[in-house]
Amino acid sequence: MDMSRLIETPLHRLAHGRTGDKGNRINISVIAYRAEFFPVIREQVTAERVAELFSHRRPTKVERYELPRLGALNFVIDDVLEGGVNDALNLDGHGKTNAFLVLSIPVWVPETILQLREEITA
Amino acid sequence: MGDNAPILVGCGAGFSGDRLDAPEPVVRTLIRSGRPAAIMFETLGERTLALAQLARQQNPENGFEPLLERMLEPVLDACLTYNIRILGNFGAANPHAAARTIHALGRRLGCRKMRIAVVTGDDLIASGAVSALEQEDGAPFPRGEFISANAYVGAAPLVEALVAGADVVVTGRVADPSLALAPFIHHHGWSLDEHRLIASGTLAGHLLECGAQVTGGYFADPGFKNVPDPHMIGFPIVSMEADGRFTVMKAHDTGGLVDRRTVIEQMLYEIHDPARYLTPDITLDVTEVEVAGIAPNQVSVTGAAGHQRPDRLKVTVGYDGGWLGEGEISYAGPNAAERARLAMDVVQRRIGHVGPNVRVRGDIIGVASVFNDDAGAWLDGYFAHSGDVRMRIAVAAPDRRTAERAGEEVLALYTCGPAGGGGVRSAVRRRIATASGYIQRELVKPNVEMMD
């Protein structure tokens, strides 16, 4: 157990991701930049939190799949596009921009783990 | 066929509208490798086929990829000279006309004689099989005025075309990864029952099918994920071994990058349950896949698993989606967002509740738009600080006249709206709606026809 201080940071600093769409369903991947980040992400970026994030669009279901070998989560969000690619009034009818909404989720990370971040940008 | 040397398959387009200068460096790289090679073009989105069907109704020689000639012109002669097979779903709603266009292009460019295979059978309206369409739960699909109904065909007819000696394979709807899987199967002599190999080839096809999306396109996030020379991203090439191990690379002398991150992002793109990705050729399981960088811009992928392919094929049905009207106007400087919000309220009150099937939405671009919802609940939580914003109104309606109200009402803000609005733009367009259905595999009979 890492006993260092916890720091709040946007998920965006720890992970990257992409949205895919099929009809009125999107999937959003969340991929840890480093294996050390994955346990924090797995613990804190839950299906419930993602459902809450999209609550203004009333998704009917949020499913989370885990891919520990790839250090990744995959969220599948149903009926979130308010009509889907073909029927949406949204400028972004595909919902492609939404990966960055998920990446805005705040997470609490041990300071020693967050320091590993520097090695990515270096 | 069946020798142990790897085959290279490159991607020349990941959607209709992709960069037209992308295929040439891919073909150059394939030639330089001296290996057996093929290039695939994926240009058929969910709605594209219905639009193509409408174009064909207007003119029987239309209805295939509108950019087909411009897409192939830079590479056709080189591909024929070096026996690089071309596979593309650019036939859309009219693969025969696409094939005639390619023949004419070849004559114009002075290319050698070529054999073009036309794969049909995906069009369920033409074949009459549309009456057997099912919903996901097996219940009959609701009847309607369909513009198009096309089944996702697998790799088998494409392999048949390659066996018959096709230089170019033109298809309509086919599962995107099958465009790459077919040359893998043909070259290595794989059997469709070898689940692990078919899974591996399908995963490689999935990584290739969106073009630059695996080589640094749709990836850059400055300071976090930097991409070299993003103005000239190289499109991907997969080198496939006989045992199903493969390496993802990109065209030489181009920008972009291939690394573990770009490959994993694309691997999960449009995947739902990662243990059960359904394609006509295999049920793909990527949960045990290993992705490893082995050299700059070379990533090895192993461990794809496959299970029995589904008994039913997926079908995309296209129908009339009514009309979408949009209008936009800018506000900048002091109190800009509040003036934009007032403009939005004015237009929404004027358009009001026009009809039962009409929906109206307002956004303030620069404050909240793409994350916003139709009811504006998200926007309500935001306050105005931004000094350069754009108010947008969208109206979806069954008829053109109502949809046009969006642009008309925004235009009238010039004299009747809040102070200082400028830069009105408006647009109205017909929309295609799509839905997914299913059909028993044996009711779809792909046909391969050689056109010399």
Side-chain angles (χ1 to χ4, degrees):
Chain A
M1 176 75 194
D2 191 320
M3 299 303 282
S4 68
R5 201 159 60 94
L6 291 178
I7 293 176
E8 186 184 335
T9 188
L11 178 59
H12 180 234
R13 293 196 69 200
L14 305 180
H16 57 108
R18 180 173 292 183
T19 314
D21 67 281
K22 295 266 186 212
N24 201 0
R25 166 187 274 187
I26 58 176
N27 82 293
I28 294 176
S29 58
V30 172
I31 304 157
Y33 277 115
R34 295 183 63 113
E36 294 90 338
F37 299 161
F38 187 61
V40 169
I41 295 168
R42 172 144 68 175
E43 182 187 279
Q44 296 183 38
V45 186
T46 59
E48 291 71 28
R49 282 187 81 185
V50 170
E52 174 61 27
L53 196 62
F54 288 96
S55 58
H56 60 298
R57 293 209 193 147
R58 294 185 282 280
T60 53
K61 189 176 169 197
V62 176
E63 186 96 39
R64 186 180 92 161
Y65 297 95
E66 298 180 11
L67 295 112
R69 277 175 185 271
L70 303 177
L73 301 174
N74 189 38
F75 293 91
V76 178
I77 310 170
D78 285 356
D79 303 307
V80 72
L81 295 180
E82 297 183 295
V85 180
N86 310 296
D87 204 27
L89 287 173
N90 196 315
L91 263 177
D92 173 20
H94 296 88
K96 283 178 174 288
T97 53
N98 287 300
F100 280 81
L101 182 56
V102 171
L103 293 177
S104 69
I105 287 182
V107 287
W108 291 88
V109 198
E111 194 172 16
T112 48
I113 300 260
L114 191 58
Q115 279 161 357
L116 298 170
R117 193 35 265 151
E118 307 308 318
E119 292 175 33
I120 300 169
T121 41
Chain B
M1 252 207 302
D3 66 34
N4 285 324
I7 178 175
L8 303 191
V9 175
C11 179
F15 80 110
S16 173
D18 218 332
R19 288 182 181 164
L20 293 169
D21 56 6
E24 206 177 343
V26 171
V27 169
R28 265 205 311 270
T29 306
L30 295 177
I31 292 169
R32 242 189 280 166
S33 77
R35 301 270 182 201
I39 183 167
M40 58 164 281
F41 292 81
E42 197 293 289
T43 61
L44 215 45
E46 283 190 324
R47 278 169 300 179
T48 323
L49 222 158
L51 292 166
Q53 199 62 257
L54 291 175
R56 187 180 179 169
Q57 285 165 18
Q58 297 284 314
N59 178 344
E61 275 302 302
N62 285 350
F64 57 92
E65 167 57 45
L67 296 175
L68 177 60
E69 275 193 84
R70 293 178 60 196
M71 208 174 264
L72 292 186
E73 181 161 352
V75 296
L76 183 62
D77 188 54
C79 287
L80 291 170
T81 303
Y82 291 92
N83 292 318
I84 296 169
R85 316 276 196 129
I86 298 172
L87 301 96
N89 56 7
F90 35 51
N94 201 348
H96 286 101
R100 285 192 289 276
T101 300
I102 298 169
H103 266 310
L105 176 65
R107 282 192 298 274
R108 177 158 71 75
L109 299 175
C111 300
R112 74 158 165 86
K113 242 174 88 57
M114 69 181 121
R115 305 199 79 193
I116 303 182
V118 176
V119 177
T120 54
D122 60 304
D123 183 342
L124 303 186
I125 296 174
S127 74
V130 68
S131 57
L133 206 55
E134 301 174 359
Q135 302 184 61
E136 191 159 15
D137 62 6
F141 198 85
R143 302 285 83 191
E145 290 279 308
F146 301 152
I147 297 171
S148 63
N150 296 72
Y152 285 81
V153 170
L158 284 66
V159 175
E160 190 185 326
L162 295 173
V163 170
D167 298 300
V168 183
V169 182
V170 180
T171 78
R173 183 66 80 197
V174 52
D176 301 347
S178 307
L179 292 167
L181 176 61
F184 298 144
I185 292 174
H186 174 248
H187 173 75
H188 287 308
W190 291 348
S191 146
L192 286 168
D193 316 322
E194 291 174 285
H195 288 177
R196 198 182 51 77
L197 297 174
I198 300 302
S200 188
T202 298
L203 177 56
H206 175 70
L207 290 171
L208 286 168
E209 76 183 49
C210 291
Q213 279 199 177
V214 72
T215 53
Y218 209 63
F219 183 79
D221 187 1
F224 292 85
K225 297 185 290 176
N226 294 325
V227 174
D229 291 328
H231 63 291
M232 45 177 287
I233 292 180
F235 273 38
I237 295 169
V238 159
S239 173
M240 177 63 76
E241 306 282 343
D243 65 1
R245 284 178 301 131
F246 67 87
T247 305
V248 184
M249 313 175 294
K250 68 181 184 71
H252 292 161
D253 308 321
T254 59
L257 79 162
V258 185
D259 66 15
R260 204 169 174 270
R261 300 168 307 166
T262 66
V263 170
I264 295 175
E265 259 196 42
Q266 186 54 23
M267 187 182 308
L268 298 178
Y269 178 73
E270 291 183 340
I271 292 260
H272 298 143
D273 180 348
R276 286 182 68 248
Y277 183 62
L278 302 179
T279 80
D281 303 304
I282 196 78
T283 299
L284 175 63
D285 178 349
V286 300
T287 53
E288 299 296 313
V289 166
E290 298 278 2
V291 177
I294 52 174
N297 294 315
Q298 286 193 32
V299 170
S300 103
V301 180
T302 51
H307 314 292
Q308 186 68 40
R309 65 187 194 182
D311 292 331
R312 299 189 301 177
L313 299 181
K314 185 178 157 181
V315 178
T316 294
V317 177
Y319 49 95
D320 178 23
W323 294 81
L324 177 73
E326 293 172 286
E328 291 182 11
I329 184 167
S330 283
Y331 295 90
N335 214 24
E338 285 311 314
R339 284 180 282 133
R341 193 182 291 259
L342 177 59
M344 189 179 90
D345 292 342
V346 165
V347 173
Q348 286 186 323
R349 284 178 69 174
R350 285 188 56 81
I351 295 179
H353 300 285
V354 207
N357 295 316
V358 178
R359 295 181 300 136
V360 182
R361 167 184 172 122
D363 294 300
I364 299 178
I365 298 165
V367 177
S369 60
V370 291
F371 286 171
N372 192 19
D373 53 290
D374 286 359
W378 182 272
L379 181 59
D380 278 344
Y382 279 79
F383 293 96
H385 300 294
S386 181
D388 189 337
V389 303
R390 198 154 170 81
M391 192 281 289
R392 168 183 180 261
I393 289 287
V395 176
D399 62 300
R400 182 180 184 122
R401 191 69 215 84
T402 307
E404 281 169 346
R405 288 289 301 282
E408 290 166 6
E409 288 297 338
V410 171
L411 183 62
L413 292 172
Y414 267 146
T415 53
C416 307
V424 169
R425 297 285 188 283
S426 64
V428 64
R429 60 190 164 88
R430 187 178 176 183
R431 295 216 283 188
I432 299 290
T434 61
S436 293
Y438 297 84
I439 191 157
Q440 295 298 323
R441 175 185 289 275
E442 62 275 12
L443 297 177
V444 179
K445 297 185 176 62
N447 181 51
V448 181
E449 194 183 326
M450 300 302 287
M451 289 174 66
D452 289 306

